[in-house]
Amino acid sequence: MSERVSREGLSVAHQLAAFIEIDALPGTGITATQFWAGLAALVAELGPKNRDLLQTREDIQTQLDNWYISHRGVDYSFETYQDFLKETGYLVDEGPDFKIETQGIDPEIAQIAGPQLVVPVMNARFALNAANARWGSLYDALYGTDAMGDLPPAGAYDQARGDRVVAWGRAFLDDSLPLAKGSWSDVSCMSQTKDGFCADDIGLTHPEQFIGRVGDGDSLGGYIFKNNDLHIIVDVDSASVIGAADRAGISDIRMESAISTIMDCEDSVAAVDGADKTLAYRNWLGLMKRDLSEAIVKGSETFTRRLNADITYTTAQGLPAHLKGRSLMLVRNVGHLMTKPAVLDQDGAEIGEGLLDALCTTMIAMHDLNSDQGNAMHGSVYVVKPKMHGPAEVAFADEIFSRVEDILGLPHHTVKLGIMDEERRTSANLKECIRAAKNRVAFINTGFLDRTGDEIHASMEMGAFLPKGDMKTTPWIKSYEDRNVDIGLKCGLQGKAQIGKGMWAMPDRMGDMLAAKMGHPEAGANCAWVPSPTAATLHATHYHKLNVKQRQNELAAAGPRGTLKDLLTVPVLSGRNLSDQEIQTEIENNAQGILGYVVRWVDQGVGCSKVPDINDVGLMEDRATCRISSQALANWLHHGVVSHAQVMAALHKMAAVVDRQNAGDAAYRPMAPEFTGLAFQAACDLVFKGRIQPSGYTEPVLHARRLEVKAAQAAAAVDAASAA
């Protein structure tokens, strides 16, 4: 990044400065001088505190390492271990019980239980698709996936499969919107009378579920219902292919699907410089101003995708009303670790990226705060903050946003905070982490992959860890998941905040998802991550089967489940011997996953994608999946389970596999047989230098290698221009 401009003692990438001043600030009431002076003060005053907290991480990790080394082969009690953790500050004393005091929360956060999407904000198409995924076609989701046990045949519409879809949909309506007698499968006509909704002169078992109608008279488009706070639209169109073959003219069942969406500036993006950050912020601005658009080419057709409008309808009482047409959008900032060359301080050092994200994303969201019928309807900005280690770091995030609010002239606690429970020190101190931001908390959630990556790194010196798959059945992970819900409920999150669960990583396995992901609402989570709009529609059916509020009340009445002892039980092999085949399989699985993700990240700047695993099953991969795989191999290397030569041989072998899997990508650059490319080198760094990466994070390695690639591409472009 060669072109920079000076702003209030800061050196700013020219494209970022131009975007802020020309595009983002107008309409907020904030002048350029106010903005840059505010950022300079934020960097000067909070930058040192940020660095001190990162040093605390390292100091605590050193103490953990030394303790594990000194206690190898020692039969110590949990109480001894717990006392040590308290002495280091790893564990803090819990204070008295309390309830969060968050105000101004939208119903998508406080009231409605349902799916949540996470998408890279740098990809406008993905961002628009996710925002528009508030509504999805159940018929399309069933027909086009393996949700019913098989995939659709190739070619034109298959009537037999369509009939199965309709039958599945009718059964869903029977469960969610039961008629006073009979079945939806027997309905031949529908109407609205003075008494409400009727199907063949039969009303609903719960008449209050009928909300209203879309359309009017001859242009009737459908009937709107509500179950467990989620809306269902039964579309009527006798002229459509599906409706014409339906006794009642039902053409589709539209589901309220992705209730909220996290627009991600972190794990799913590859943003390494000022140009990348500008693109992320520009798309966030388009979402907040509701003018983001993207030209889409499908076959011979080109169309423009924009944010959906609200759905207008007539209530059961005959009044005009509307339903929100878009997901509630949250924005995920980066954590406290990384710096960026996008902005340099007065000493020429990169500023903390988290400080830049906090000010920029909040300022951009002011366009929504100043509008009617936009994203947030109660004067809030929703920011998800990842990768925080313990209460002090959560308190620091709270302080950052208080300062941001002061700079922008916003009331304190305008910014609501989502706490990612994905680091061991945060899980162990979750109650106090929530207390540290009790006026802002709008979200806590669990994430197995990042959390496991930190589990391995934090206890690296304790011993060799179990294979990844085996960890899922160990006591710590169950305690982690249960405690997150139990502590969240104890701290008063019900009715004020989301308690979330992690991602379903296999977007092509919707049948398996339908079978497994019911476990998330059953666990008391009022939102859970899904990998696509289609998955959101299918997962939404789970929230019709179970009332999450009632389930949370049951769990709260039953008392806490997971224990701190279980949570802190490290999942090491503990004398278990693995076969040569088990070891080889684990090495190759991890190596393939790392390479498949890293090669797209480093060479193409793709931060999240569906990466085929070793068995060619597509998995959604982001930096969290890369973190656990690299830490797992680093751990086994450190403890002699595998050798450097074994791992390198697996990396070579799997590079050829990844090359084959990407053979259809014209932009792809093969790693084999030379193994000299920057992407392959990055993968090697993640594994062979994984033990010394801060908290086992992948960002430092990936960012450095991606910057090398971009510099080489820029130099090549200059050379080509000179030659021309």
Side-chain angles (χ1 to χ4, degrees):
M1 189 168 39
S2 57
E3 298 182 49
R4 312 187 75 87
V5 295
S6 179
R7 296 290 187 269
E8 301 296 325
L10 303 173
S11 178
V12 186
H14 72 95
Q15 59 269 73
L16 177 60
F19 164 75
I20 293 291
E21 295 166 6
I22 298 171
D23 300 310
L25 285 173
T28 65
I30 306 299
T31 67
T33 299
Q34 286 176 290
F35 179 87
W36 295 117
L39 180 59
L42 199 66
V43 169
E45 296 167 23
L46 295 189
K49 189 169 186 176
N50 197 149
R51 292 188 290 272
D52 288 344
L53 286 168
L54 295 178
Q55 185 59 53
T56 297
R57 290 186 191 178
E58 294 301 313
D59 293 343
I60 289 177
Q61 185 62 56
T62 298
Q63 294 179 76
L64 275 175
D65 291 343
N66 292 337
W67 195 88
Y68 285 134
I69 292 169
S70 67
H71 285 74
R72 286 177 186 167
V74 177
D75 186 17
Y76 56 86
S77 66
F78 172 72
E79 288 71 26
T80 299
Y81 181 53
Q82 185 178 30
D83 289 344
F84 160 72
L85 294 178
K86 288 184 176 181
E87 289 170 8
T88 64
Y90 194 100
L91 280 178
V92 302
D93 291 330
E94 284 193 353
D97 290 344
F98 72 100
K99 305 291 186 183
I100 64 169
E101 299 174 15
T102 318
Q103 303 286 322
I105 301 296
D106 286 84
E108 292 93 335
I109 299 290
Q111 178 180 343
I112 307 172
Q116 185 170 69
L117 284 168
V118 186
V119 294
V121 75
M122 289 175 67
N123 189 310
R125 180 176 181 176
F126 288 0
L128 287 165
N129 286 349
N132 289 339
R134 179 67 173 258
W135 295 92
S137 164
L138 181 60
Y139 281 10
D140 286 352
L142 292 168
Y143 188 95
T145 71
D146 70 344
M148 299 188 300
D150 53 14
L151 290 169
Y157 177 73
D158 183 80
Q159 186 63 54
R161 185 173 182 85
D163 292 343
R164 290 169 60 198
V165 168
V166 170
W168 202 105
R170 293 296 200 276
F172 167 75
L173 293 178
D174 285 340
D175 289 340
S176 305
L177 308 171
L179 299 173
K181 65 178 179 179
S183 168
W184 277 88
S185 60
D186 300 322
V187 172
S188 59
C189 67
M190 296 173 289
S191 62
Q192 181 183 356
T193 70
K194 62 181 178 64
D195 297 320
F197 172 79
C198 284
D200 295 339
D201 298 324
I202 299 170
L204 297 168
T205 299
H206 307 289
E208 69 278 6
Q209 288 187 304
F210 176 60
I211 302 301
R213 303 188 311 177
V214 180
D216 187 28
D218 294 337
S219 62
L220 176 67
Y223 297 88
I224 306 176
F225 306 90
K226 192 175 186 180
N227 179 51
N228 291 343
D229 293 316
L230 289 169
H231 292 91
I232 302 168
I233 301 177
V234 178
D235 282 322
V236 179
D237 184 1
S238 299
S240 68
V241 173
I242 308 300
D246 190 273
R247 296 176 61 189
I250 296 174
S251 57
D252 203 351
I253 299 171
R254 269 190 288 168
M255 304 285 294
E256 196 171 16
S257 301
I259 305 304
S260 56
T261 291
I262 297 174
M263 298 296 171
D264 191 21
C265 299
E266 195 232 3
D267 261 8
S268 68
V269 303
V272 300
D273 57 20
D276 293 337
K277 295 301 292 186
T278 300
L279 176 57
Y281 296 153
R282 187 177 298 281
N283 285 349
W284 178 236
L285 176 65
L287 293 167
M288 293 294 94
K289 294 178 72 172
R290 292 183 300 219
D291 61 5
L292 183 65
S293 64
E294 182 81 352
I296 309 294
V297 179
K298 285 191 176 182
S300 60
E301 295 185 9
T302 300
F303 61 95
T304 301
R305 180 154 291 155
R306 297 182 173 86
L307 288 171
N308 287 343
D310 290 343
I311 297 172
T312 58
Y313 71 101
T314 303
T315 70
Q317 293 74 38
L319 301 174
H322 71 273
L323 295 174
K324 214 168 177 182
R326 302 161 304 283
S327 289
L328 179 76
M329 289 175 272
L330 305 82
V331 62
R332 183 160 67 172
N333 287 188
V334 302
H336 295 319
L337 173 66
M338 293 300 293
T339 61
K340 277 293 179 293
V343 182
L344 308 179
D345 65 18
Q346 60 182 5
D347 299 319
E350 297 179 4
I351 73 166
E353 187 179 5
L355 301 177
L356 182 66
D357 270 3
L359 184 58
C360 288
T361 58
T362 304
M363 177 271 291
I364 289 168
M366 292 175 68
H367 291 278
D368 178 69
L369 295 177
N370 296 334
S371 67
D372 295 326
Q373 296 187 2
N375 183 52
M377 304 303 295
H378 295 279
S380 292
V381 178
Y382 298 97
V383 177
V384 178
K385 190 70 177 178
K387 295 180 173 57
M388 295 186 289
H389 295 243
E393 294 196 12
V394 178
F396 181 56
D398 179 74
E399 182 180 5
I400 290 171
F401 286 106
S402 290
R403 293 294 303 273
V404 165
E405 289 158 347
D406 289 340
I407 293 167
L408 300 175
L410 296 172
H412 273 195
H413 309 134
T414 293
V415 177
K416 305 304 188 291
L417 199 64
I419 300 173
M420 299 287 293
D421 178 7
E422 57 188 355
E423 310 297 331
R424 191 172 187 256
R425 190 148 54 101
T426 293
S427 301
N429 300 288
L430 183 58
K431 180 179 177 181
E432 295 311 301
C433 288
I434 296 171
R435 189 194 307 272
K438 66 179 182 179
N439 293 297
R440 297 191 188 274
V441 174
F443 164 111
I444 60 172
N445 92 328
T446 55
F448 166 75
L449 293 168
D450 256 314
R451 179 64 181 80
T452 304
D454 192 57
E455 185 77 12
I456 298 171
H457 188 85
S459 301
M460 178 71 67
E461 295 291 353
M462 184 174 185
F465 273 65
L466 291 166
K468 288 191 303 187
D470 294 355
M471 290 190 212
K472 295 180 181 180
T473 60
T474 53
W476 81 267
I477 190 67
K478 186 177 188 309
S479 179
Y480 163 60
E481 295 286 356
D482 288 346
R483 278 169 51 89
N484 181 271
V485 175
D486 292 345
I487 292 171
L489 294 175
K490 185 75 170 178
C491 294
L493 269 68
Q494 188 187 60
K496 291 185 177 181
Q498 291 176 327
I499 301 175
K501 294 294 182 183
M503 181 66 76
W504 177 262
M506 296 173 284
D508 297 329
R509 300 284 183 92
M510 291 293 97
D512 291 342
M513 188 198 76
L514 277 177
K517 210 167 173 67
M518 185 67 200
H520 282 164
E522 288 175 341
N526 55 4
C527 76
W529 288 1
V530 286
S532 68
T534 296
T537 296
L538 293 170
H539 184 40
T541 64
H542 293 140
Y543 297 90
H544 289 278
K545 292 181 179 180
L546 184 146
N547 186 302
V548 176
K549 293 177 185 176
Q550 294 178 7
R551 179 59 177 157
Q552 288 179 340
N553 291 337
E554 293 169 0
L555 292 170
R561 294 164 290 171
T563 66
L564 183 64
K565 181 178 180 180
D566 282 346
L567 180 76
L568 296 175
T569 300
V570 182
V572 291
L573 285 171
S574 299
R576 172 183 164 186
N577 292 318
L578 300 174
S579 69
D580 291 345
Q581 185 57 55
E582 286 178 306
I583 291 171
Q584 190 62 30
T585 298
E586 191 73 6
I587 299 172
E588 292 184 357
N589 276 328
N590 283 317
Q592 191 275 340
I594 294 167
L595 288 163
Y597 176 68
V598 166
V599 70
R600 295 180 181 176
W601 210 104
V602 172
D603 285 348
Q604 301 181 38
V606 178
C608 178
S609 59
K610 186 170 68 174
V611 177
D613 70 3
I614 199 169
N615 299 310
D616 294 321
V617 175
L619 301 177
M620 293 304 298
E621 299 274 355
D622 64 9
R623 290 206 295 273
T625 56
C626 189
R627 183 185 184 193
I628 181 177
S629 296
S630 59
Q631 286 299 294
L633 287 178
N635 174 261
W636 278 14
L637 278 164
H638 185 55
H639 291 283
V641 179
V642 297
S643 68
H644 185 286
Q646 280 179 286
V647 176
M648 184 59 80
L651 287 166
H652 283 180
K653 179 181 177 181
M654 292 300 107
V657 172
V658 173
D659 287 350
R660 171 184 60 77
Q661 292 173 329
N662 287 275
D665 182 358
Y668 183 81
R669 286 178 284 181
M671 292 178 284
E674 290 82 7
F675 309 112
T676 56
L678 291 171
F680 186 82
Q681 293 176 41
C684 291
D685 290 344
L686 288 170
V687 173
F688 298 119
K689 300 177 182 178
R691 191 168 64 89
I692 62 172
Q693 298 306 307
S695 303
Y697 292 132
T698 62
E699 290 95 317
V701 168
L702 292 175
H703 284 229
R705 293 299 189 181
R706 177 63 182 158
L707 284 168
E708 287 185 65
V709 168
K710 295 190 75 171
Q713 291 171 340
V718 170
D719 290 343
S722 299

